[in-house]
Amino acid sequence: MKFSARLIQILFLLLSSDKPIPAVILAENMQISKRTIFRELENADNCLKEYDLKLETKSKKGISIKGSESNKNRLLDELNKLEYSDPKNKEGRHNRIILELLKQEEPQKIYYYSSLLKVSEATINNDLDNIEEWFLKNNINLVRKSGLGIYLDYKEEDYRKACMRYVYQNTEDPLNRLSDLIEASIVSKVINSIKQVKSSRLSGMAESSYTELIVYLSIMTKRILNGKKNTREKNINLTGQNIKDYEFVIELVSLLGEQFKAEYTTTEIIDLYIYIKGAKLQHINENEDVIDIEPDIRYMVYEMIQQYDSTIAYQLKQDTDFIRGLIAHVRPTIIRLQHEIEIQNPFQNEIKSLYPNVYEKAQRAAKVIEDKFKLKVPEQELGLLAVHFGGAEVRLKRNYKFIRKVNVGVICSSGIGISALLSSRISHIFYDKVRVKTLSISDLSSNRIEDVEILISTFDINTPRYSYIKVNPMLTEEDVLLISKEIENISKNIVQDKGIEKADILNRIQEIGLITKEISSIIKSFDLYIVNSYIKIDEIMVFVSEIIGESEESKNYIYNDLKKREELATQVIPEFEFVLLHAKTKGVEASKFILIKPELTHFEDKYFSRSKAVVVMLIPEDDPRRVLAISSISSALFDDELFLDDIKTGNKQAVKSYVERVLKEYLSEQIKNL
């Protein structure tokens, strides 16, 4: 049962007396009015029922608690658990005083707090000096007036933010902390109302934001029930998805109104709408095309990436999952900053101390938001940005890390057919980590097994000559785990025997053949095309497919793959004034490279953001290499300003000469590595 601090004190006094206590005596003891005493006792019977006790008020005698001694003792035990037992715990006292000040509707004397916490009035005065700064940070004044008492002076919006901060400070269980401030019955009804709303907005929320919504609504509702309404007017723009979100808020408020028999004003509804728009997302909306996202947000995100680290900005911009995730994070972030909604980040200190370089670079990225919106990005938000950028950087390093393939041999007593099936499954599960060879029993006595690093068998091999992993022909989860551990162990070993070195050399020679084929295709395909300045992006894709495609089927592949890639993350790069159209496609057998220029100085359609050229790069879908020759050209686009200027001005001969030189250097480097 929930007891207020005042009610706890009153009950202690009544339980410790063997006769009724007049209300005036209770008021004098607690330094409050008789009216306040009776208001506190209004709902006392509801609390006492649980203990088979009840209040009795007799005229001219006073107030007492009726019931058995055992039940009175049971209540006393419960009340003792609710009291703070360590008055020397300064932090605990400060939190308790903050809580009491947030809960009080009327001024209280120093005696009230010293009695409540069992410390001297001088100690309480010192405590108030210390916690005054906490309230000032929330734009709340702590007022101490002689003869009147202690109270808070605030605007309603600031008071609610202070309540949110109290609930979340120094705790991993905000809902438990909320129970100190708001009655459990209110919180329960709020949760019930939220659960009744079926909305993708709720299911898409991060778990922490879902909890924050419960806290926010509980505080809002409590204040409305107390007759305290937020009157600060705000404007919102209801279009597209915003209308659906607003409808969701209306439905939620309607359910809350029914639960509490309370009226939520338009201002409260708008506040709730803004709060929900600023909520963190649990996952990215995969159905939303990046191309449909507001251009201002997209371009700002690209600039943030550039400022984060210009040396890896190009590679980061190719990570479509990162682009989607960052956009999904930045949109509500801006709303939170604009409306001063404080975010909760329990890992802020860890992020800052464990990843100082990422955090520092995230500050540079955040400066883009600050400059555009004239808003300060607080530390909590910086930490969350650092998480997004740091994760993308880790993925980038992982993708470019060299992974040595492990040679695996598969043998099965049931014959070559089962061996082939098992080999196929292992290749599919471990794809780029292994080279799988299907073996027969006779191969155990031949040189076919010399380069095998992991031998996998479905039967016992009765010879100490070979170590092997015995698996079920259907490959169980336990089998996969054993193979995975062995692959990991061998991958760390850079020492290779001659058979493996020979296999690697042959693979490198084959790779050189693929490189020369690719370079030849790039040089032969290169050309500069001039098109109408008012052309649309889709028309450009059709144009490219017609030029490069050698059949109707290949043309369709090229067009569809270009469109799909552009929809994932647009490659219009305003800061460099060009568009990079690139894709993996079945429409080409080797890499292709062409340039497209408008008749005028830049493309006129708004989508192009005044770009001066379109760079087209296509690579075959089935090329097994991780890094292709054409990547040296794409890197040069961002590393060499003169090369990019030649592209934007349409200097065909200069571009061709530069490309040939870059590809020649690339080929030389690959041969040298061999």
Side-chain angles (χ1 to χ4, degrees):
M1 183 60 70
K2 182 73 176 176
F3 297 94
S4 70
R6 278 199 186 120
L7 184 55
I8 289 172
Q9 284 187 291
I10 295 170
L11 293 176
F12 266 129
L13 291 171
L14 294 175
L15 288 167
S16 60
S17 175
D18 56 2
K19 59 183 179 180
I21 303 176
V24 66
I25 302 299
L26 286 172
E28 286 176 5
N29 270 275
M30 295 185 61
Q31 296 282 294
I32 58 177
S33 66
K34 282 174 60 179
R35 180 185 170 203
T36 302
I37 290 288
F38 285 117
R39 190 173 65 232
E40 286 290 337
L41 291 174
E42 280 179 0
N43 298 313
D45 274 333
N46 291 332
C47 301
L48 296 175
K49 274 182 186 177
E50 195 172 317
Y51 302 90
D52 291 326
L53 301 171
K54 67 177 295 184
L55 280 177
E56 185 177 85
T57 304
K58 288 188 176 181
S59 179
K60 297 182 180 181
K61 287 190 176 182
I63 306 165
S64 61
I65 295 177
K66 295 299 180 182
S68 68
E69 287 302 313
S70 63
N71 286 336
K72 287 182 181 180
N73 290 331
R74 192 158 61 93
L75 175 57
L76 270 173
D77 289 341
E78 182 67 25
L79 295 177
N80 278 317
K81 292 177 185 176
L82 297 174
E83 283 289 271
Y84 276 79
S85 59
D86 183 10
K88 295 179 182 179
N89 179 355
K90 186 181 290 187
E91 184 181 352
R93 272 201 328 273
H94 290 175
N95 285 334
R96 182 65 184 273
I97 296 172
I98 289 171
L99 170 64
E100 290 302 320
L101 284 165
L102 289 172
K103 289 168 67 174
Q104 299 305 326
E105 296 294 338
E106 295 179 356
Q108 295 295 332
K109 302 288 180 62
I110 288 285
Y111 175 80
Y112 170 80
Y113 296 102
S114 65
S115 174
L116 179 68
L117 298 172
K118 301 181 179 65
V119 293
S120 68
E121 292 186 16
T123 298
I124 293 296
N125 268 317
N126 288 332
D127 289 339
L128 290 172
D129 290 339
N130 289 322
I131 67 174
E132 188 170 14
E133 185 180 350
W134 188 92
F135 283 108
L136 286 173
K137 286 181 179 178
N138 292 276
N139 300 318
I140 295 175
N141 292 318
L142 177 61
V143 182
R144 289 183 268 184
K145 283 190 177 180
S146 178
L148 180 61
I150 307 157
Y151 63 95
L152 302 177
D153 181 33
Y154 52 79
K155 292 180 180 178
E156 182 63 22
E157 188 172 42
D158 294 326
Y159 171 85
R160 296 184 189 187
K161 288 178 182 177
C163 288
M164 289 287 290
R165 178 173 289 184
Y166 169 80
V167 167
Y168 273 95
Q169 70 180 5
N170 303 322
T171 182
E172 294 181 358
D173 189 359
L175 291 182
N176 184 51
R177 179 70 68 83
L178 180 65
S179 67
D180 294 334
L181 189 64
I182 308 291
E183 296 91 325
S185 59
I186 291 178
V187 179
S188 178
K189 288 180 179 179
V190 165
I191 294 172
N192 185 50
S193 297
I194 294 173
K195 286 182 176 179
Q196 289 184 56
V197 181
K198 304 299 181 185
S199 170
S200 58
R201 168 58 73 176
L202 276 180
S203 60
M205 272 188 190
E207 184 177 348
S208 60
S209 287
Y210 187 85
T211 302
E212 287 171 27
L213 178 62
I214 294 170
V215 175
Y216 179 88
L217 279 174
S218 297
I219 293 169
M220 172 194 279
T221 300
K222 172 66 175 176
R223 297 300 287 173
I224 291 172
L225 293 175
N226 285 352
K228 308 292 184 179
K229 297 183 179 180
N230 188 11
T231 56
R232 181 180 172 184
E233 293 185 2
K234 296 175 183 176
N235 296 318
I236 55 174
N237 181 27
L238 295 179
T239 57
Q241 178 62 39
N242 294 343
I243 294 176
K244 292 182 180 179
D245 291 338
Y246 192 76
E247 289 173 346
F248 154 66
V249 170
I250 294 296
E251 182 183 356
L252 178 54
V253 167
S254 176
L255 289 166
L256 289 167
E258 291 175 9
Q259 286 269 17
F260 295 101
K261 309 303 179 189
E263 180 182 350
Y264 292 74
T265 65
T266 301
T267 300
E268 305 283 8
I269 292 170
I270 291 174
D271 277 346
L272 177 56
Y273 166 81
I274 291 170
Y275 193 85
I276 286 171
K277 292 294 284 185
K280 300 192 296 292
L281 299 177
Q282 178 72 34
H283 54 76
I284 302 164
N285 182 4
E286 296 291 348
N287 295 321
E288 181 180 38
D289 290 335
V290 176
I291 199 170
D292 294 330
I293 294 168
E294 309 91 312
D296 286 351
I297 296 291
R298 279 192 284 120
Y299 299 152
M300 186 182 72
V301 163
Y302 294 147
E303 178 60 24
M304 288 172 68
I305 295 170
Q306 197 68 33
Q307 293 302 319
Y308 175 79
D309 191 335
S310 60
T311 61
I312 60 172
Y314 173 70
Q315 291 97 319
L316 289 178
K317 288 178 182 179
Q318 309 313 305
D319 186 342
T320 54
D321 287 340
F322 167 57
I323 295 291
R324 281 182 180 275
L326 188 56
I327 287 173
H329 176 75
V330 164
R331 281 194 292 194
T333 297
I334 293 167
I335 292 172
R336 291 194 296 269
L337 296 177
Q338 288 173 330
H339 297 281
E340 300 176 2
I341 298 172
E342 191 172 296
I343 199 72
Q344 308 304 325
N345 182 4
F347 307 108
Q348 172 66 20
N349 293 333
E350 288 86 346
I351 294 166
K352 196 173 180 180
S353 61
L354 295 176
Y355 307 100
N357 293 333
V358 171
Y359 190 85
E360 182 182 346
K361 290 193 288 185
Q363 287 179 305
R364 297 202 296 264
K367 189 72 166 51
V368 176
I369 297 177
E370 293 181 338
D371 291 344
K372 181 175 178 61
F373 294 96
K374 310 303 179 189
L375 296 165
K376 179 66 177 175
V377 177
E379 282 201 346
Q380 301 283 55
E381 296 284 5
L382 277 173
L384 294 175
L385 279 174
V387 169
H388 279 272
F389 278 101
E393 196 168 344
V394 168
R395 284 198 302 274
L396 180 64
K397 290 176 181 177
R398 185 181 65 218
N399 290 340
Y400 279 83
K401 182 179 177 182
F402 176 73
I403 301 173
R404 181 171 79 82
K405 289 192 174 185
V406 175
N407 292 326
V408 175
V410 177
I411 186 169
C412 181
S413 60
S414 301
I416 199 73
I418 297 297
S419 296
L421 177 62
L422 190 54
S423 297
S424 177
R425 287 206 64 198
I426 292 171
S427 296
H428 178 72
I429 293 169
F430 299 104
Y431 62 107
D432 62 344
K433 295 181 180 180
V434 297
R435 298 187 192 94
V436 182
K437 180 188 293 187
T438 302
L439 303 170
S440 64
I441 294 176
S442 61
D443 290 326
L444 292 176
S445 57
S446 71
N447 60 6
R448 283 203 75 207
I449 203 165
E450 287 182 5
D451 62 345
V452 171
E453 296 170 275
I454 300 177
L455 180 60
I456 296 173
S457 174
T458 61
F459 62 97
D460 292 319
I461 300 175
N462 298 317
T463 172
R465 182 180 174 185
Y466 302 112
S467 60
Y468 63 95
I469 298 174
K470 184 181 177 182
V471 300
N472 186 294
M474 293 298 103
L475 207 64
T476 66
E477 290 185 13
E478 290 80 4
D479 296 334
V480 171
L481 183 60
L482 284 172
I483 296 170
S484 179
K485 286 182 178 178
E486 190 64 18
I487 289 172
E488 185 177 350
N489 290 335
I490 293 176
S491 295
K492 294 175 182 176
N493 181 12
I494 61 172
V495 179
Q496 301 179 3
D497 64 32
K498 292 181 180 179
I500 296 170
E501 288 177 358
K502 180 180 178 182
D504 281 345
I505 290 172
L506 290 173
N507 288 331
R508 290 293 288 158
I509 291 173
Q510 291 174 350
E511 187 172 333
I512 294 299
L514 291 172
I515 292 171
T516 55
K517 177 184 176 182
E518 181 191 11
I519 289 175
S520 175
S521 175
I522 292 170
I523 293 173
K524 286 180 180 179
S525 67
F526 174 73
D527 208 343
L528 172 66
Y529 298 90
I530 308 298
V531 297
N532 189 297
S533 300
Y534 294 88
I535 195 170
K536 306 288 186 184
I537 186 67
D538 193 70
E539 293 171 330
I540 287 273
M541 296 177 191
V542 172
F543 180 77
V544 170
S545 65
E546 289 293 332
I547 290 172
I548 297 178
E550 296 179 356
S551 66
E552 285 304 314
E553 184 180 36
S554 63
K555 290 175 183 178
N556 288 334
Y557 276 130
I558 292 170
Y559 171 77
N560 290 328
D561 291 331
L562 280 174
K563 189 173 182 64
K564 183 179 178 182
R565 181 63 182 82
E566 183 67 10
E567 286 174 348
L568 279 174
T570 181
Q571 294 302 290
V572 178
I573 311 174
E575 61 267 35
F576 290 96
E577 300 181 312
F578 80 98
V579 180
L580 177 59
L581 278 184
H582 67 115
K584 274 189 174 184
T585 178
K586 290 182 180 179
V588 297
E589 294 182 355
S591 298
K592 306 290 183 182
F593 170 58
I594 66 171
L595 298 179
I596 300 173
K597 280 275 297 169
E599 293 172 333
L600 303 176
T601 55
H602 61 264
F603 289 99
E604 295 291 337
D605 188 82
K606 185 179 180 181
Y607 181 84
F608 291 98
S609 298
R610 299 179 69 84
S611 294
K612 295 179 178 178
V614 175
V615 177
V616 180
M617 295 182 178
L618 301 177
I619 60 176
E621 191 173 83
D622 59 354
D623 196 307
R625 293 171 294 153
R626 295 180 66 85
V627 181
L628 278 66
I630 201 166
S631 64
S632 60
I633 302 173
S634 60
S635 297
L637 287 169
F638 301 95
D639 295 338
D640 194 317
E641 291 184 9
L642 292 177
F643 176 51
L644 185 56
D645 283 342
D646 286 336
I647 286 175
K648 290 190 290 188
T649 57
N651 190 338
K652 178 180 174 180
Q653 192 54 47
V655 172
K656 184 177 181 182
S657 298
Y658 186 93
V659 167
E660 289 175 349
R661 177 165 58 84
V662 167
L663 293 175
K664 183 179 178 181
E665 290 172 357
Y666 176 86
L667 179 59
S668 298
E669 184 67 24
Q670 298 303 310
I671 292 174
K672 185 170 67 175
N673 289 341
L674 174 63

